[in-house]
Amino acid sequence: MALSRGARLIAEAEGKAEIEFPAELGKSPEGQKLIEDETAFMAARAKRLRLQLAAIDDLKQLLQSEIASLEKKIATQNRQVELSRAELQGIGNLKEQGLVVNARVLSIEQTIAELEGKVLDMQTASLRAKQDIAKATQDATTLQNDRDTQIAQDRQEAEAAIEEVTLKMATSTNLMTEALTRGPGAASIAAGPNVSTIGYAIVRTTDGKATETAADENTPVLPGDVVKVVAAVVPAD
């Protein structure tokens, strides 16, 4: 499992569309199952990130459309404010001459105040939308950074697991070789007309069933495997 997981994490970290699995994984049903599982997992995680980023992009586009609409409304309102101020200025002299009642002047001033209030509200809404766009952009960056960080952490764990299994296999091999060399029967085997050989096998449990597969010193070992070392004596040529 560590080998297949490590291969998938390398592909994700390097942004590859396909995973380069070790060739030996495809030589057994268990290895093929691991390949299928890791491939499906990478596709599912990539799809999830893609959908999350697409949702953020949709939100940003919606906010940008809202800002554009608000800017048009603000321009229209400002134009109305200018027209109202021009009207107020035009009747200023008439008011001084008593030709315009105060109610008319107050009405125009109230209209100007309402228009300016609406402009302020729309400017606030536009500013809020811009802040939401900035937050959405930051959210997208955070999503990508969190994914990269998780991949890096998982990759370190997978590499450590592979290293641990490799070390255990090497230690077991060395111990068995030493035991065979120093064992009580080693001297008689070496002195007789026969030759001693060492064979390896991996005992792997899948779905509660243990299977034994022939192996050599270069065969990869998965977590949970048991390395079996067998000494055999064959006649010398």
Side-chain angles (χ1 to χ4, degrees):
M1 181 180 293
L3 286 175
S4 60
R5 185 166 181 252
R8 187 256 300 167
L9 290 168
I10 290 174
E12 288 184 314
E14 297 179 356
K16 295 181 178 178
E18 296 183 358
I19 306 173
E20 297 179 3
F21 292 101
E24 55 267 23
L25 281 177
K27 296 179 180 179
S28 67
E30 294 84 358
Q32 292 176 356
K33 180 66 166 55
L34 290 173
I35 290 175
E36 293 173 359
D37 290 345
E38 293 297 341
T39 300
F41 184 82
M42 186 177 81
R45 185 146 75 168
K47 180 180 179 180
R48 179 186 178 190
L49 178 63
R50 187 168 59 252
L51 291 175
Q52 289 176 322
L53 294 177
I56 291 176
D57 285 339
D58 290 343
L59 175 60
K60 290 170 63 176
Q61 291 178 5
L62 180 63
L63 291 170
Q64 287 169 349
S65 297
E66 180 181 351
I67 291 172
S69 177
L70 286 170
E71 288 176 349
K72 291 180 180 179
K73 291 181 179 178
I74 290 172
T76 300
Q77 291 292 95
N78 283 332
R79 178 58 179 163
Q80 291 180 351
V81 170
E82 292 175 1
L83 292 175
S84 297
R85 288 188 181 281
E87 182 182 2
L88 181 60
Q89 184 178 2
I91 65 173
N93 294 332
L94 297 177
K95 176 185 176 183
E96 293 177 358
Q97 298 175 11
L99 299 177
V100 178
V101 296
N102 289 335
R104 175 57 180 163
V105 175
L106 291 174
S107 176
I108 296 176
E109 290 176 344
Q110 183 178 2
T111 299
I112 293 174
E114 291 175 352
L115 290 173
E116 289 178 338
K118 290 180 180 179
V119 169
L120 181 60
D121 290 341
M122 286 186 285
Q123 288 175 336
T124 302
S126 179
L127 177 60
R128 188 181 301 112
K130 291 177 181 178
Q131 292 174 339
D132 289 342
I133 289 177
K135 182 179 181 302
T137 301
Q138 182 59 46
D139 289 344
T141 301
T142 300
L143 277 174
Q144 189 66 56
N145 290 341
D146 287 348
R147 176 181 180 274
D148 293 342
T149 300
Q150 186 63 52
I151 288 174
Q153 292 176 348
D154 292 346
R155 184 176 177 180
Q156 288 179 348
E157 293 175 1
E159 290 175 348
I162 294 173
E163 184 177 352
E164 181 180 0
V165 170
T166 302
L167 179 61
K168 286 182 178 179
M169 183 177 181
T171 301
S172 299
T173 301
N174 293 335
L175 289 175
M176 291 303 299
T177 301
E178 183 178 356
L180 289 170
T181 302
R182 297 184 180 181
S188 61
I189 291 175
N194 298 326
V195 178
S196 63
T197 61
I198 298 176
Y200 302 94
I202 293 178
V203 179
R204 181 172 298 160
T205 302
T206 304
D207 297 331
K209 182 179 179 180
T211 57
E212 183 174 323
T213 306
D216 57 34
E217 293 180 353
N218 298 319
T219 301
V221 181
L222 302 179
D225 287 352
V226 176
V227 179
K228 185 176 181 182
V229 184
V230 181
V233 178
V234 297
D237 294 335

